[in-house]
Amino acid sequence: MGTTGTTSTAGTAHEGRGPVRYGPLAPDAGLPALPELVAVLADAAGRTEPEPPGGGPVLREAACGYWSRRGLPAHPQEVAAAAGAQPLLLALLAAHGGDVLMPRPHPASWAPQARLLGRPVFQVPTPAECGGVPDLYALLETVRRVRAEGGTPRLLLLSIADDPTGTVAPPELLREACEAAVGEGLHIISDETWRDTLHRPHETVPLSPAEMWPDDVTVFFDLAGAFAPAAWPAAVARFPSTPGGADRRARTVDHLTALGALVAGPVAAAGAYALDEPAAVTARAAAASALHARVAAALHHAVHTAGALARPPRAGRHLYADLGPLRRGLGARGVGDSMELEEFLGERLGTPVPGGHRFGDELGALRVRLATGPLLGSTPEERTESLTAVEPLELPHVARALGILTAALGELR
């Protein structure tokens, strides 16, 4: 159930690829940058100094406002910013001791971050309803077993809106898992990158563990989730308002300083503008989420029509498909594991299709993450048209991309 190296480390071993150098990136929006954000970045282009370690006061104040509007009040001294989610998570992990637990599957960057620090990683299965959070009983059994073997479980990573599955944890399951984790003395790090990309925002309730256990949860998110292009790296973390939280923040900032993970000045200006959530930003975020929801629903339909399986996506720009029911057809084409499936579908679709082994799943499981961004067009003009169209699925370039994927899956039946 848990191990320090169960995730396959080779995309294609004969090419010498590894998960750090060639690991899959988070699903991209596939859309041009918001013009208002570009203008803010351009106005700040003359800033030649980076932000101070942990972020400057304007960026941290904006992050506090963002969290306060979501029921998580914060003070700037309880916030830290970094040049991207991966160095921020690395610094957060380094600020805590002990073994790390995480759900399986999990974001592709999580396990490599812990491995870089030499931390044992224990993966816990997720419940049937969703990804992102561990199954309650599997979590308790994993903690018991790790301790019996001499380990020191101290941290639980989870995500309320999940990569790779595109699901949102129901409040009751999240509550059960967090209550068990806190009861076992684990500190929770909640990745909330995708909470603002809900497909049905009026029907889905994203609950943060920090609302329930404010002293035991650190929250972080990548602005590339809903607010800024991935090419402008910025992420922020909110620490508990306790002496322990202040100490962990200080250690996190120390590690960010050592890493040189300082937010670029122009990016900080754009990030603060986005986190203030003016009308242009919220309108773009809502429109992008609605677009990706439409395309994700079409992807989900194509997967099920082909006889494969996938949980209905509820957030983000992706879904997680299980092609196990198509194993016979895949086997006839020389595909027997997720590494081979990744290469097989990547060649046919002309876009990366990371296999489940990238996310901690067993190599023999025929699972892949399918992203919606590549289906929106190959040029800025096509992508903009996808964003503004009343019926984006009827656009020729979107219909063509969906048709290629549907045909690739259909030939496996």
Side-chain angles (χ1 to χ4, degrees):
M1 188 183 304
T3 178
T4 59
T6 55
T7 303
S8 170
T9 59
T12 49
H14 62 280
E15 294 180 350
R17 296 185 179 178
V20 175
R21 288 180 295 148
Y22 291 92
L25 301 176
D28 186 71
L31 297 170
L34 179 67
E36 288 82 354
L37 270 184
V38 173
V40 173
L41 186 82
D43 286 343
R47 290 181 58 177
T48 58
E49 296 291 331
E51 292 279 282
V58 175
L59 180 58
R60 288 186 285 117
E61 285 276 8
C64 289
Y66 166 88
W67 274 308
S68 294
R69 290 188 292 275
R70 287 155 180 80
L72 293 173
H75 187 276
Q77 291 303 315
E78 298 161 0
V79 174
Q86 294 190 17
L88 180 56
L89 178 57
L90 184 67
L92 289 172
L93 293 175
H96 293 77
D99 301 343
V100 182
L101 282 70
M102 60 185 67
R104 184 181 66 225
H106 51 72
S109 65
W110 282 9
Q113 302 285 36
R115 284 199 299 268
L116 284 172
L117 295 170
R119 297 288 177 78
V121 174
F122 297 89
Q123 301 173 358
V124 186
T126 57
E129 295 87 343
C130 66
V133 300
D135 174 80
L136 167 64
Y137 298 105
L139 174 64
L140 292 172
E141 171 59 22
T142 302
V143 171
R144 182 203 64 77
R145 179 172 57 80
V146 171
R147 286 181 175 148
E149 295 173 353
T152 54
R154 297 273 179 81
L155 276 178
L156 171 65
L157 299 186
L158 56 77
S159 53
I160 59 174
D162 185 45
D163 172 23
T165 66
T167 59
V168 178
E172 62 275 12
L173 294 183
L174 180 67
R175 185 183 301 274
E176 289 176 354
C178 292
E179 185 173 23
V182 172
E184 292 293 335
L186 304 181
H187 186 79
I188 297 169
I189 296 180
S190 177
D191 182 349
E192 302 187 1
T193 294
W194 302 103
R195 71 168 293 162
D196 296 296
T197 65
L198 300 179
H199 294 180
R200 297 179 179 179
H202 300 297
E203 300 177 17
T204 307
V205 180
L207 181 66
S208 172
E211 297 178 55
M212 299 176 282
W213 288 276
D215 294 346
D216 300 292
V217 178
T218 298
V219 174
F220 81 98
F221 73 94
D222 190 337
L223 270 68
F227 296 109
W232 306 355
V236 289
R238 174 190 181 274
F239 296 81
S241 181
T242 63
D247 182 60
R248 283 190 291 270
R249 181 191 180 275
R251 291 201 302 270
T252 298
V253 173
D254 283 343
H255 294 305
L256 291 173
T257 304
L259 291 168
L262 311 181
V263 183
V267 172
Y273 174 84
L275 290 174
D276 283 338
E277 298 183 280
V281 169
T282 56
R284 163 58 77 88
S289 294
L291 170 61
H292 286 286
R294 297 281 298 276
V295 179
L299 263 181
H300 185 257
H301 177 74
V303 168
H304 274 258
T305 299
L309 304 172
R311 295 186 182 103
R314 303 297 186 197
R317 309 184 273 261
H318 52 282
L319 60 81
Y320 199 52
D322 183 353
L323 274 60
L326 307 178
R327 184 175 294 274
R328 185 173 181 178
L330 286 165
R333 291 161 176 80
V335 177
D337 60 34
S338 63
M339 189 184 304
E340 294 167 345
L341 179 60
E342 174 182 292
E343 295 181 353
F344 175 82
L345 286 180
E347 290 176 359
R348 277 155 181 76
L349 302 181
T351 187
V353 185
H357 60 288
R358 305 284 191 172
F359 310 105
D361 253 335
E362 297 176 0
L363 182 63
L366 295 173
R367 301 189 182 109
V368 292
R369 186 186 69 190
L370 299 173
T372 52
L375 305 177
L376 303 183
S378 58
T379 66
E381 292 75 20
E382 287 182 346
R383 294 165 188 161
T384 299
E385 187 180 13
S386 297
L387 181 65
T388 57
V390 176
E391 297 293 342
L393 300 182
E394 297 179 3
L395 294 174
H397 57 272
V398 176
R400 181 169 58 253
L402 280 169
I404 291 172
L405 184 139
T406 300
L409 294 177
E411 71 180 62
L412 304 174
R413 285 183 291 178

